[in-house]
Amino acid sequence: MRILALGLAALAGLLLSGCGYNTIQGQDEQIKAAWSEVLNQYQRRTDLIPNLVNTVKGYAAQESSVLLGVTEARARVGSIQATPELVNDPAAFAKFQAAQGELTSALSRLLVVTENYPQLKSDQNFRDLQAQLEGTENRITVARNRYIQAVQGYNVTVRSFPGNLTAMMFGYKPKPNFAVENEAAISKPPAVDFAAPAPAPAPAPAPAPAPAPAPAPAPTSTSTSTSTPSPAPAH
């Protein structure tokens, strides 16, 4: 009986590995690791914001609306519980992405405003914070790309045969992925108006004036003296 049970277990293991079960498990773990890195970089950016806002406020307190926008966007991000289960909920994932997008836009407006304050731009603390923020944005981009690739591989597996049967059996569903934040804007074709009047041709340059003729040389007078031979003396 024990040998039969071991044989059935081995057969079940072979069947599960052949139907994509182990692949799904491995890809699911890759998604969890990639998602953790995304959250880590987003949290790093969130931690930099209070010092950045306080530094800007010291030089540009009159930009209260921009500073308030960054603070409120950060608060909305913090109100979302970014648990590992969030990647299985498309609605919660979309809400998380929208909040992070608002924070990105608010930070962009803040950095644009700082261009109007030379003393702030020369502040060493501000320059350090700006460099850290730029580095974090780059890390966020890398982490998002890795997550996108991990989800793409997983979704292909759970939607393809025979992996889709295994996924259906064990309750594995496709996971939401990051989308382009300005997808609506870039998907709109540019307006091209062929009926617009063509610009008027530029006027032809005026011909250069012909050079004045050189004056003719003045005539020279030549005086010819003729000598009349004196008559020969008479003899």
Side-chain angles (χ1 to χ4, degrees):
M1 181 66 71
R2 184 177 179 183
I3 296 176
L4 178 61
L6 292 175
L8 292 175
L11 179 61
L14 289 174
L15 291 175
L16 289 176
S17 62
C19 64
Y21 179 83
N22 290 343
T23 301
I24 293 175
Q25 295 298 315
Q27 291 176 336
D28 189 57
E29 290 301 320
Q30 290 178 1
I31 290 175
K32 291 178 181 178
W35 178 244
S36 296
E37 183 60 19
V38 170
L39 295 181
N40 181 38
Q41 298 305 328
Y42 272 134
Q43 185 61 48
R44 187 173 187 270
R45 181 175 71 170
T46 302
D47 293 341
L48 288 172
I49 290 175
N51 289 336
L52 180 67
V53 169
N54 290 332
T55 302
V56 174
K57 188 185 299 184
Y59 290 89
Q62 61 271 28
E63 305 290 349
S64 57
S65 61
V66 179
L67 295 169
L68 181 61
V70 175
T71 303
E72 291 179 345
R74 181 180 183 270
R76 283 191 291 272
V77 167
S79 66
I80 299 175
Q81 297 295 325
T83 61
E85 290 73 22
L86 186 145
V87 298
N88 298 319
D89 186 345
F93 189 90
K95 184 178 179 182
F96 173 84
Q97 184 180 5
Q100 293 292 349
E102 291 177 6
L103 182 55
T104 300
S105 299
L107 285 171
S108 298
R109 289 191 294 270
L110 178 64
L111 293 178
V112 169
V113 165
T114 60
E115 295 294 325
N116 300 324
Y117 300 91
Q119 291 183 345
L120 171 61
K121 291 175 61 179
S122 63
D123 182 83
Q124 184 63 43
N125 186 38
F126 173 77
R127 289 191 297 179
D128 291 344
L129 288 169
Q130 188 177 24
Q132 293 181 54
L133 187 61
E134 291 174 353
T136 302
E137 293 291 349
N138 292 334
R139 293 186 181 94
I140 288 173
T141 301
V142 173
R144 280 167 54 109
N145 287 339
R146 290 174 178 170
Y147 177 82
I148 289 171
Q149 294 173 5
V151 171
Q152 182 183 15
Y154 168 87
N155 285 346
V156 169
T157 299
V158 299
R159 287 174 173 169
S160 303
F161 182 84
N164 60 337
L165 300 179
T166 305
M168 187 184 306
M169 183 184 305
F170 292 93
Y172 288 98
K173 298 179 181 180
K175 298 183 185 295
N177 211 338
F178 284 109
V180 180
E181 295 177 2
N182 59 341
E183 185 175 359
I186 65 175
S187 62
K188 183 179 180 181
V192 180
D193 188 4
F194 290 101
T220 56
S221 58
T222 306
S223 58
T224 307
S225 57
T226 57
S227 58
T228 303
S230 57
H235 295 284

